[in-house]
Amino acid sequence: MLVRHISNLIGRPVMAKPRPVVVSGPSGAGKSTLLKLLLEEYDQVFGFSVSHTTRNPRPGEENGRDYYFVSREEMLHGIDAGEFIENAEFSGNIYGTSKKAVQEVQARNQICILDIDMQGVRNIKKTDLCPIYISIQPPSFEILEQRLRQRKTETEESLQKRLAAAKLDMEFSKEPGIFDEVLINDVLEDTYIRLRSVLSEEIQRVRALQN
Ligand SMILES: Nc1ncnc2c1ncn2[C@@H]1O[C@H](COP(=O)(O)OP(=O)(O)OP(=O)(O)O)[C@@H](O)[C@H]1O
Ligand SMILES: Nc1nc2c(ncn2[C@@H]2O[C@H](COP(=O)(O)O)[C@@H](O)[C@H]2O)c(=O)[nH]1
């Protein structure tokens, strides 16, 4: 009603901003792999919220594209200054979504994608961001461990921390009312098709808004 009223006043339709999408799930479940496919296929529709982290870059990761890689001191300073929508300690490092990262995507009228852990999900629930919540889960704990080991990004110590967090995350995904969709990432192509289908309505809405 209010939207229609404003449209009438300025003489053209005003549409609400696209709803952001939160993608969460245990480390190694396949979030980044799926999001890479989505961002490649719909590069004008989706924009990635580039988080800050205190962890070291992995080979091939780029500052400003995959993360903003910062010192713990810098991160804590930003958090104290109120620059973050949410932040969390995960596997010995701090991660956080800055207000600026989300605003930059929204300014382009794109669907903002946040790849965040379960603490982030709980914290985003307390904000007015109102995203679609999607959990990506592995077919089993054993397969998750295999995938994480095969990725070869972790030391044995950090792997064990991630696996401990994964157990909690797999339970969290079963809590009623948290996620709009829980996708089990077994065969990658199948999961991707389901992810695209979950987001199809929002994709169409954004395309209409952009044309
Ligand atoms: N469906 C799948 N089948 C087999 N391997 C997969 C599948 N999906 C992802 N992988 C592989 O599993 C590993 C973990 O995937 P990915 O890095 O995307 O996980 P993630 O959830 O983003 O992890 P993190 O939270 O640590 O960033 C990667 O090596 C990826 O190639
Ligand atoms: N709460 C937040 N969690 C985040 C953010 N950015 C990433 N993450 C999550 O951290 C883990 C580990 O990521 P990795 O790149 O080190 O493998 C993973 O679950 C991400 O979803 C953030 O800004 N806030």
Side-chain angles (χ1 to χ4, degrees):
M1 182 65 186
L2 179 62
V3 169
R4 202 178 315 135
H5 179 63
I6 296 169
S7 317
N8 289 344
L9 284 179
I10 63 173
R12 63 186 163 83
V14 175
M15 292 175 83
K17 281 210 173 295
R19 263 181 97 186
V21 175
V22 160
V23 176
S24 194
S27 172
K31 302 179 297 294
S32 316
T33 307
L34 287 160
L35 291 181
K36 190 164 178 279
L37 293 173
L38 194 71
L39 288 156
E40 273 168 11
E41 183 169 358
Y42 299 99
D43 61 337
Q44 301 302 308
V45 173
F46 293 97
F48 187 61
S49 158
V50 181
S51 293
H52 283 59
T53 182
T54 61
R55 85 153 160 75
N56 291 325
R58 294 174 186 145
E61 283 185 332
E62 238 178 64
N63 188 47
R65 184 193 65 186
D66 299 287
Y67 281 107
Y68 294 106
F69 296 99
V70 292
S71 66
R72 184 167 273 266
E73 197 183 16
E74 226 177 307
M75 186 88 194
L76 291 173
H77 187 268
I79 293 167
D80 281 351
E83 290 168 12
F84 288 86
I85 302 175
E86 63 78 34
N87 61 271
E89 182 102 23
F90 179 89
S91 186
N93 287 297
I94 311 176
Y95 295 78
T97 307
S98 71
K99 292 175 184 167
K100 193 170 167 216
V102 173
Q103 281 162 2
E104 276 175 1
V105 177
Q106 291 189 323
R108 301 194 295 263
N109 279 331
Q110 291 176 329
I111 300 173
C112 181
I113 298 197
L114 284 72
D115 174 345
I116 58 176
D117 81 326
M118 57 181 266
Q119 303 165 77
V121 170
R122 285 198 197 281
N123 288 329
I124 290 289
K125 292 254 169 192
K126 296 177 201 153
T127 72
D128 60 1
L129 200 68
C130 195
I132 299 167
Y133 291 93
I134 299 175
S135 172
I136 306 295
Q137 291 292 324
S140 69
F141 185 75
E142 290 69 28
I143 291 178
L144 181 80
E145 179 169 353
Q146 254 177 37
R147 285 183 187 169
L148 259 184
R149 286 191 184 279
Q150 278 164 5
R151 194 172 71 180
K152 294 189 182 349
T153 52
E154 307 309 314
T155 61
E156 188 57 31
E157 190 191 354
S158 73
L159 186 102
Q160 292 305 330
K161 282 188 190 165
R162 282 170 187 254
L163 290 176
K167 282 209 169 112
L168 299 177
D169 193 300
M170 290 169 80
E171 286 310 307
F172 179 61
S173 72
K174 296 176 195 154
E175 278 184 31
I178 305 278
F179 291 100
D180 298 296
E181 288 290 336
V182 177
L183 302 179
I184 309 294
N185 181 21
D186 191 351
V187 177
L188 183 65
E189 292 71 23
D190 295 349
T191 317
Y192 179 61
I193 289 168
R194 280 184 287 133
L195 176 64
R196 212 169 43 183
S197 144
V198 168
L199 297 172
S200 63
E201 229 177 84
E202 207 55 27
I203 293 171
Q204 279 172 25
R205 226 173 63 75
V206 169
R207 282 191 159 155
L209 182 69
Q210 289 173 340
N211 289 326

